[in-house]
Amino acid sequence: MIASFESGGISMRSFRRTVRLAGISALALICSLTLPAVAQQKIPIQIALGDVEIQKVPFQIALDKGIYAKNGLDADVFYTTGAADFARRSSVNVPASMVKPDEAPILISGGTPLAVGVVTDIRNWDKVILATTDPIVHWNIYARPEIKRVEDLKGKRIGFSGVGAMTHYIALNLCRRMGWDPNFDVSLMAGALTVDGLKDGRVDAIIGDNMHGTMARAAGFPVLLDLTQWKMPIAGSGVRTTRTWVRENKEAARRFTKSMVEAIALFKKDPNVAYESMKKWWGVTDVEKLKAMYADAATLPRKPYPSVEGLKLTMQTYDSHEMRRHKPEDFFDASFIKELDDNGYIDSLYK
């Protein structure tokens, strides 16, 4: 047999080497077919948007532009039914296909409500803020036309969304600055962050974000006070989850945070991408309204660290025996933002 190989010009050593190389090639082929499939497996993640406002748009963009997918996430993004209902009462209609009653491990909503919830409801003990996309109050007070001055709000009804919410926090600080007793000098009305409440006279003024404010102005209700001038810190809209989820899903949290800062950069650099997203998700097509809503894009930070100053003022505003057991650091985890900041990734998005 050896002779026959040699007589044919192939030695046993060459034959074995050929077989070995063929085996390696076959193994490489198998790997080339199987490894990409493994690499393409994405981590599923649900992201609930807790209210309809401009700070939510980057999270919509991250889905629409494939940013989540690029970073290895199979993302399901939706508005909560409560958020869609509030928006509808200000003439913004989120398509039914983008609304779910489901809870999600990631909620894009206010950090101030989280802190208040942690100290008032035992079910919230594990909740934590990963990012703040809204660290300074930039909302306005909108009033019925007959009210001409902020001082005229004394004795009137001021609408906000809910106790402990960011609008409630602003209302309480408005009272503090004006020297009013929030229980007897004004009537603070929950469930009233809507233009409908102004139209039918159930409230005299509302504390409105950019989206609700745009619709209020379009309905003929002027800005009574621009709160931006106060430069009031707030733990506003941002990323909320639980410490348990973070501990069990660190890679998902890392990929999500990376997707968020990338989407923020795109949102800030290209208004047309933002307009496209608002048209799709909010059903708003009026160009002037879209531009007015986008005006707050400048306030959205490139590096959305949790707002420590906002949490400090939250703790003062909602001072209590239980609140005094805590320090601001108890309410947030900045490690994922810090990692992207320290390695230069966030800065690289703006070059």
Side-chain angles (χ1 to χ4, degrees), residues 68-104:
Y68 292 128
K70 184 187 73 173
N71 288 315
L73 294 174
D74 178 12
D76 178 19
V77 182
F78 57 88
Y79 277 99
T80 64
T81 51
D85 181 55
F86 263 117
R88 185 164 50 251
R89 286 186 275 161
S90 290
S91 302
V92 173
N93 296 301
V94 179
S97 61
M98 299 173 179
V99 180
K100 291 184 181 181
D102 302 352
E103 293 185 358

Side-chain angles (χ1 to χ4, degrees), residues 17-285:
R17 182 173 180 272
T18 300
V19 171
R20 185 169 64 253
L21 291 175
I24 292 172
S25 299
L27 179 60
L29 176 62
I30 293 171
C31 290
S32 69
L33 295 174
T34 59
L35 287 180
V38 173
Q40 289 171 9
Q41 289 180 352
K42 295 181 175 61
I43 300 174
I45 188 171
Q46 282 192 311
I47 303 153
L49 306 177
D51 51 309
V52 180
E53 50 140 7
I54 195 68
Q55 278 74 24
K56 306 302 182 292
V57 174
F59 301 95
Q60 301 167 185
I61 290 173
L63 181 69
D64 296 338
K65 296 302 181 181
I67 296 173
Y68 292 128
K70 184 187 73 173
N71 288 315
L73 294 174
D74 178 12
D76 178 19
V77 182
F78 57 88
Y79 277 99
T80 64
T81 51
D85 181 55
F86 263 117
R88 185 164 50 251
R89 286 186 275 161
S90 290
S91 302
V92 173
N93 296 301
V94 179
S97 61
M98 299 173 179
V99 180
K100 291 184 181 181
D102 302 352
E103 293 185 358
I106 295 288
L107 174 65
I108 312 304
S109 191
T112 284
L114 179 144
V116 174
V118 167
V119 302
T120 59
D121 189 332
I122 195 171
R123 293 169 295 182
N124 295 322
W125 68 275
D126 196 33
K127 291 186 177 179
V128 67
I129 301 163
L130 299 187
T132 298
T133 55
D134 197 11
I136 297 291
V137 171
H138 54 88
W139 296 5
N140 297 322
I141 297 177
Y142 300 88
R144 295 177 61 81
E146 62 268 22
I147 297 174
K148 305 299 184 182
R149 305 178 308 151
V150 175
E151 291 79 4
D152 296 337
L153 288 177
K154 188 173 182 179
K156 300 297 194 297
R157 294 178 173 179
I158 302 174
F160 66 97
S161 53
V163 174
M166 293 183 291
T167 48
H168 186 241
Y169 164 92
I170 294 168
L172 292 176
N173 279 284
L174 168 67
C175 290
R176 179 177 61 83
R177 284 173 176 260
M178 298 301 295
W180 297 338
D181 185 317
N183 296 310
F184 296 101
D185 288 331
V186 293
S187 298
L188 300 183
M189 309 300 293
L193 182 56
T194 68
V195 177
D196 285 354
L198 285 172
K199 288 179 178 178
D200 59 27
R202 283 178 291 168
V203 294
D204 301 291
I206 63 170
I207 297 169
D209 59 18
N210 192 284
M211 189 280 290
H212 291 284
T214 296
M215 306 313 285
R217 289 193 299 273
F221 299 102
V223 175
L224 183 67
L225 176 64
D226 179 358
L227 294 164
T228 306
Q229 60 187 290
W230 288 357
K231 294 181 171 53
M232 184 194 304
I234 188 172
S237 184
V239 180
R240 296 171 38 170
T241 186
T242 65
R243 294 187 185 279
T244 298
W245 185 85
V246 171
R247 185 172 60 252
E248 296 175 354
N249 299 274
K250 284 191 176 181
E251 183 57 29
R254 185 173 288 109
R255 296 183 190 186
F256 170 78
T257 307
K258 184 179 181 183
S259 300
M260 174 185 63
V261 297
E262 185 175 341
I264 288 173
L266 180 58
F267 166 79
K268 291 175 79 69
K269 292 192 293 186
D270 191 345
N272 290 319
V273 172
Y275 299 158
E276 179 185 331
S277 179
M278 288 187 277
K279 288 177 183 178
K280 174 182 176 181
W281 286 77
W282 299 355
V284 177
T285 58

